[in-house]
Amino acid sequence: MAKRILIVDDEETLREGLRTYLELEGYEADTAADAAEARKKKPEKYDLLLLDIMMDGMSGIEFADLLKENPQTADLPIIFLTAKDSDDDMVAGLRLGADDYICKPYSVKNVVARIEAVLRRTQRQPTENHHESAIECDRATLTCSVDGEKIKLPKKEFEILALLLENPGRIFSREELVNKIWPENVIVVDRSVDVHIARIRSKIGAYGKNIVSRSGYGYGWQN
């Protein structure tokens, strides 16, 4: 069955061009000019959302926040499409658990490649074992494995993931993570934690959904 994509963008030329290209690539694509129209189309019916940040009325960030708070759409993969490329926009999207971020102008081939990558990452089903036994970080050997396959993580990413796995259900504030992971004489801003979390999510496949965020606070691991 073809994957369904909802394109939400207030620029008609861009959204219609994307829809045409996605349909040629075998996807089912619908469009909406703003968040209000997108809500009427029932986002929970789609496999992925392409979402512009700068729109009239409700912004893409505000709409994504609503979707993440709704159990029916909390796991809906979101790729932000935006003309803005500031760190603040990127971090705001990452904090909401966005799956990717593409700046305009973009190549439609690149957008399709990103869609394929996100769908593979978010819709691959984990093994039937419990999540806590399917992903492991071994502090003795400094190795991490996902479904039995070793993955490479830089030191800080390994330490963050190991800490979350060792404390399932606990939400760590960004300040706590900074204090526990980085040396005292190193100055680290909150956005560094968000970027590290986003990288970890991208590397652990379907288990990225187990890293939950609490808006304005921090992150934790939920089995």
Side-chain angles (χ1 to χ4, degrees), residues 84-126:
K84 299 187 69 176
D85 59 356
S86 73
D87 287 346
D88 289 342
D89 288 323
M90 181 187 73
V91 169
L94 295 178
R95 285 181 173 176
L96 285 173
D99 295 274
D100 209 340
Y101 187 99
I102 304 174
C103 294
K104 301 175 183 177
Y106 47 74
S107 157
V108 287
K109 288 185 178 181
N110 181 40
V111 174
V112 170
R114 300 286 191 94
I115 289 172
E116 291 174 348
V118 168
L119 288 176
R120 282 196 304 268
R121 188 168 75 236
T122 59
Q123 298 191 7
R124 185 177 73 237
Q125 295 299 315

Side-chain angles (χ1 to χ4, degrees), residues 147-195:
D147 292 338
E149 294 185 12
K150 288 186 178 181
I151 62 171
K152 293 182 178 180
L153 292 179
K155 186 174 185 291
K156 300 305 181 189
E157 292 176 23
F158 174 88
E159 291 178 355
I160 292 173
L161 181 56
L163 180 64
L164 298 184
L165 286 171
E166 290 162 1
N167 297 273
R170 177 180 172 183
I171 301 296
F172 289 90
S173 69
R174 291 176 178 83
E175 183 179 1
E176 284 181 294
L177 290 172
V178 167
N179 291 337
K180 289 177 179 293
I181 304 301
W182 278 267
E184 292 183 6
N185 61 340
V186 175
I187 298 175
V188 180
V189 295
D190 283 354
R191 70 181 56 183
S192 294
V193 174
D194 299 312
V195 171

